[in-house]
Amino acid sequence: MGHDAFYEPAGVDTFVATPATAGPWDAGSQHAGPPSALFARAFERHEPVAGQQLARVAVDILRPVPVAPLTLRVRIVRPGRRITLVEGVAEADGQEVLHARGWRIAQAPEQPPVAAPLDEVLPDLPAEDTAGFWPGAHTAGYVEAMEWRFVSGAFGRPGPARVWMRPRLPLVAGEETSPFCRTMMIADSGNGVSAHLDPARWLFVNVDLTVVLHRQPRGEWVLLDAETTIGPAGAALAASRLSDRDGVIGQGMQTLVVARR
């Protein structure tokens, strides 16, 4: 692979994207997972409040993100001891390419009754295999920088899919990737693994990504249980249930634009 991380730091708020960030559609454009994870990293670190943890990040993709330096500008919109709303803008080549907002929520002093299906039996981690991709896809980037273990479905097989994933590289060189950042990188693959259309003939790229976690992930692996629903007028929805080895942790959602190549 030849890369040590998805990004190299170049100052306080600027990160140089390595070729590992390149998505399957175009070698010159980033997969939206890594830059979305950069926002999660920024939201966790910006003016932190003791006891708060990131619970939701929503990213709007204004235009393709080039494999180039990214500069993030982050500010607090709504400060508070119990909840904090953070927002940010990412710029590349002199243009705004991404907008994002994140909610940080204080951990409850007393654990409330758990209503999530934490006792669900999850599939075992399959043996390592080689995940094929569609002909013509750019795989020498994000695709190779992630590890894929399909439980059901596969690239090129239309319909829902379940796949265990983890990044092979740190988000930022010299740092340990936080669990939320790791989940952001993975959640943006929901539309890719659950595609209903031939990617050689159709585009089905997302214009946003929203991830909500009801608890922080544990361990390296995240199970992406994804399904895409296509509407009749060029829009689609990819919804992903997210789990770690201990149970369900949250949901991911992407709005897709569908068009012929």
Side-chain angles (χ1 to χ4, degrees):
M1 189 180 308
H3 313 302
D4 295 327
F6 289 95
Y7 297 98
E8 296 284 345
V12 178
D13 301 313
T14 299
F15 305 87
V16 177
T18 72
T21 62
W25 301 103
D26 179 1
S29 297
Q30 296 187 46
H31 189 282
S36 296
L38 272 186
F39 273 122
R41 175 186 179 275
F43 293 166
E44 288 177 325
R45 294 173 175 231
H46 186 73
E47 298 180 17
V49 177
Q52 287 188 358
Q53 60 187 14
L54 199 57
R56 175 258 203 184
V57 174
V59 180
D60 289 314
I61 304 166
L62 307 185
R63 52 182 51 85
V65 182
V67 180
L70 277 181
T71 298
L72 270 60
R73 293 184 284 109
V74 177
R75 73 182 186 99
I76 299 292
V77 178
R78 195 279 193 196
R81 288 180 298 175
R82 182 169 294 178
I83 57 173
T84 298
L85 178 61
V86 194
E87 72 174 9
V89 175
E91 297 179 347
D93 293 341
Q95 288 188 308
E96 294 185 357
V97 292
L98 301 166
H99 286 181
R101 282 192 163 195
W103 279 105
R104 295 195 310 240
I105 296 177
Q107 300 177 53
E110 179 181 352
Q111 182 174 328
V114 174
L118 298 180
D119 57 349
E120 177 181 346
V121 177
L122 296 173
D124 291 333
L125 187 68
E128 186 171 2
D129 59 9
T130 302
F133 229 69
W134 73 81
H138 176 73
T139 59
Y142 174 89
V143 174
E144 289 186 356
M146 306 296 290
E147 189 169 353
W148 314 77
R149 304 275 187 97
F150 276 92
V151 176
S152 60
F155 292 126
R157 185 186 304 169
R162 293 193 298 169
V163 56
W164 287 102
M165 294 179 62
R166 66 177 176 181
R168 301 179 189 271
L169 304 174
L171 178 64
V172 177
E175 295 182 4
E176 183 175 349
T177 305
S178 78
F180 204 113
C181 292
R182 192 161 48 242
T183 305
M184 290 295 293
M185 277 195 278
I186 293 167
D188 192 64
S189 292
N191 62 320
V193 301
S194 66
H196 277 275
L197 300 171
D198 180 358
R201 299 174 55 201
W202 293 88
L203 291 171
F204 39 90
V205 296
N206 55 307
V207 298
D208 62 10
L209 170 66
T210 300
V211 172
V212 181
L213 301 184
H214 58 260
R215 74 164 169 84
Q216 296 298 296
R218 295 189 284 265
E220 293 183 311
W221 291 95
V222 171
L223 177 66
L224 191 62
D225 187 346
E227 183 170 3
T228 294
T229 304
I230 300 175
L237 168 68
S240 303
R241 196 180 199 193
L242 305 169
S243 305
D244 62 14
R245 302 297 297 276
D246 295 329
V248 178
I249 57 174
Q251 299 278 342
M253 186 174 294
Q254 300 160 288
T255 307
L256 313 182
V257 56
V258 180
R260 281 194 176 274
R261 279 183 173 274

